[in-house]
Amino acid sequence: MIGSMELWGLSLPWLLVLTLLSWLLLWPSRRLLARLGLYRWVWHPALFDAGLFVLLLWGVSVLSARIVS
């Protein structure tokens, strides 16, 4: 996960790229969970969303590590 990515001459840290990808995955998953009515069972939706984001970031980083190596 340590490294950088070049984008139009701009060096971006790899963790920033993974974070943006995780955020892009979080947005539709939140909408899907809200449409299914899951948030009725969640005590604190903001904490649930933060935990979901951390899990997505972990999953994206594991996938990227497997693809790169």
Side-chain angles (χ1 to χ4, degrees):
M1 191 163 69
I2 298 174
S4 63
M5 177 180 150
E6 294 289 327
L7 184 66
W8 295 298
L10 183 66
S11 179
L12 298 173
W14 191 241
L15 184 60
L16 176 65
V17 175
L18 295 177
T19 301
L20 291 175
L21 183 60
S22 299
W23 184 78
L24 288 174
L25 291 173
L26 179 68
W27 186 60
S29 64
R30 286 180 58 201
R31 291 183 58 110
L32 177 68
L33 293 174
R35 182 170 289 182
L36 292 174
L38 181 78
Y39 282 106
R40 289 181 300 176
W41 303 100
V42 174
W43 172 67
H44 201 291
L47 287 176
F48 182 80
D49 290 340
L52 183 60
F53 174 75
V54 169
L55 287 174
L56 285 172
L57 181 59
W58 173 78
V60 168
S61 66
V62 167
L63 284 176
S64 71
R66 288 187 181 175
I67 291 171
V68 171
S69 60

